Amino acid sequence: MRTVLVTLAGFALLTAGCNSGSPDKVGGTAVAAASGPTSVSTVVVESKRLSTTIALPAQLEPYEQVDIYPKVTGFVETVTVDRGSRVKEGQVLVRLTAPELVSQRSQAEAAVRAAESQLATAKARLASDQGTYEHMQAAAKTPGVLAENDVAVAGQTVSADKGLADAAEQNVAAARESLKSVSQAEAYLTITAPFAGVVTTRNLHPGALIGPASGAGGATPILQIVNDRRLRLVVPIPEAQVGSIKVGQLVSFSVPAYPGQAFRAPIARIAEAMDVNSRTMPVELDVRNLEARLSPGSFATVKWPLERGYPTMFVPTTAVTNDQQHTFVIRVRNDKAEWVTVQTGQTVNGESEVFGDLAGGDQVVKIATDAIHSGDAVRVQSGTAGH
């Protein structure tokens, strides 16, 4: 029995000695594996021109819009239209009454008649004195008939008469202008449409007293008219997308009122300046709306064409990653990882446009992660260098 125990103890010591060498071997294998190249899949950086569309919000606005205010003070007598009424250019919209203008017209007409009477008197006096002066000049040719002083006085009288006649003519002109001003004020009592369109707002009714101070004071207008047969589609273009705008280019858009339908309109006007608050540039599309299907004020979604006139680099979106300081891709060169800082542009069909120290044909890690550090050894999996 003692011999058996000694034999077992020796076997246990031998077994323990063998096991004591195993951890070193296992640890060495793990260290070797950790320090070996990282296996990665790569793709090739593509150089091509961007051509896509992006969805942008926009709003339809009337091509022309005006609030109707009176130019003279008066009472509303009639309003011939209401909200939704279609009007033609020059159509009568509102008639006002102003009794004080009748009195002003009578006074102005009386002033014209008085001025014309004074002018007639002045001209008659001028004609009489002119005749006397000419007669005296003829008589003075005979020595001793008239004194030279009498002739001179007659000439001065004629000059004074001419001055009075000129003044009377100016008085007549001024009186006629006053009468014309009253007539113009009376014409303002009839308000007509400045352009063809539709009445969108009516605020006042017969009997209301209104005046020209309404517009200046920001009071309520009588009517509002918009031209809805031609609209402006105003699109705020983000700063990063303003480089490829072309006047005349056709752009598609849709509105909630007609789901599934696309409308097209050309780019007509470009602001050429950024809105510093929104960092966008307003661009207008000229929308023909002859059938009045589209309504001013409607929201629209525009498929804005985005193109670049030069080729840029594209990689899969998964190839772009970032840490707290950089956005980068991992380029593989000579079996080494290399971080390349990039700026991203547009994303199209799972590919991101990138700007940085890249060239077409470069290989980058397909699924980038900051766990792969710049300078790490990598091993490219066979058959992965492509899209």
Side-chain angles (χ1 to χ4, degrees):
M1 174 63 75
R2 186 179 187 87
T3 302
V4 173
L5 291 175
V6 171
T7 302
L8 291 175
F11 178 76
L13 290 173
L14 179 62
T15 303
C18 293
N19 290 340
S20 64
S22 298
D24 291 338
K25 292 181 181 180
V26 173
T29 302
V31 171
S35 62
T38 302
S39 180
V40 296
S41 298
T42 61
V43 292
V44 175
V45 177
E46 285 193 73
S47 175
K48 57 186 177 181
R49 290 193 178 187
L50 175 69
S51 180
T52 186
T53 60
I54 56 175
L56 293 177
Q59 183 168 321
L60 287 165
E61 297 180 358
Y63 185 76
E64 295 174 298
Q65 176 176 315
V66 65
D67 291 333
I68 303 297
Y69 290 96
K71 293 184 178 180
V72 294
T73 300
F75 292 94
V76 177
E77 183 179 25
T78 58
V79 181
T80 63
V81 294
D82 211 326
R83 177 174 286 156
S85 299
R86 293 214 162 267
V87 298
K88 299 179 180 179
E89 182 177 355
Q91 179 179 334
V92 174
L93 305 176
V94 181
R95 294 187 187 277
L96 307 177
T97 58
E100 63 274 14
L101 288 181
V102 177
S103 175
Q104 292 178 15
R105 168 176 278 279
S106 298
Q107 293 176 2
E109 290 175 344
V112 169
R113 289 194 295 268
E116 289 174 343
S117 177
Q118 292 174 0
L119 175 60
T121 300
K123 285 183 176 181
R125 181 178 299 173
L126 173 60
S128 176
D129 290 344
Q130 181 72 33
T132 300
Y133 175 61
E134 291 174 355
H135 180 70
M136 292 176 69
Q137 280 184 318
K141 293 179 180 179
T142 303
V145 175
L146 288 174
E148 292 183 0
N149 184 58
D150 293 340
V151 176
V153 171
Q156 292 174 356
T157 301
V158 170
S159 296
D161 290 344
K162 286 183 178 179
L164 291 173
D166 290 342
E169 286 183 348
Q170 292 177 1
N171 289 337
V172 170
R176 287 174 178 171
E177 284 298 321
S178 296
L179 178 59
K180 182 179 178 180
S181 177
V182 174
S183 298
Q184 185 64 58
E186 288 180 328
Y188 290 151
L189 295 175
T190 300
I191 302 175
T192 59
F195 53 80
V198 62
V199 177
T200 57
T201 302
R202 172 179 170 172
N203 296 307
L204 297 179
H205 302 275
L209 176 63
I210 55 177
S214 300
T220 304
I222 307 173
L223 304 168
Q224 183 183 80
I225 300 176
V226 302
N227 179 358
D228 65 337
R229 301 299 191 183
R230 184 181 180 187
L231 304 176
R232 303 172 187 262
L233 182 58
V234 182
V235 190
I237 306 301
E239 187 174 6
Q241 279 83 47
V242 299
S244 59
I245 303 175
K246 298 178 182 178
V247 173
Q249 184 175 6
L250 287 176
V251 177
S252 297
F253 67 94
S254 59
V255 294
Y258 301 98
Q261 296 190 32
F263 300 86
R264 291 167 64 85
I267 298 174
R269 289 164 290 276
I270 303 173
E272 301 294 355
M274 301 299 301
D275 184 328
V276 296
N277 295 319
S278 64
R279 307 309 307 172
T280 60
M281 179 183 292
V283 175
E284 290 187 4
L285 277 60
D286 202 351
V287 181
R288 298 292 179 175
N289 190 35
L290 299 181
E291 298 180 356
R293 298 181 66 200
L294 303 173
S295 301
S298 296
F299 174 81
T301 301
V302 176
K303 290 185 177 179
W304 190 257
L306 188 60
E307 298 179 353
R308 302 208 191 280
Y310 52 91
T312 53
M313 303 299 118
F314 283 85
V315 298
T317 303
T318 56
V320 182
T321 189
N322 60 77
D323 59 9
Q324 294 182 350
Q325 297 179 340
H326 306 92
T327 297
F328 60 92
V329 298
I330 304 174
R331 179 165 53 197
V332 176
R333 278 185 176 177
N334 301 322
D335 296 327
K336 295 286 186 180
E338 178 185 0
W339 283 16
V340 179
T341 301
V342 296
Q343 179 181 353
T344 58
Q346 298 299 316
T347 299
V348 182
N349 298 327
E351 292 186 327
S352 293
E353 187 182 28
V354 291
F355 302 90
D357 185 21
L358 291 172
D362 284 349
Q363 289 191 28
V364 297
V365 175
K366 185 175 183 180
I367 303 177
T369 172
D370 59 1
I372 303 175
H373 298 93
S374 192
D376 285 355
V378 295
R379 181 177 67 254
V380 178
Q381 295 179 4
S382 60
T384 63
H387 284 285

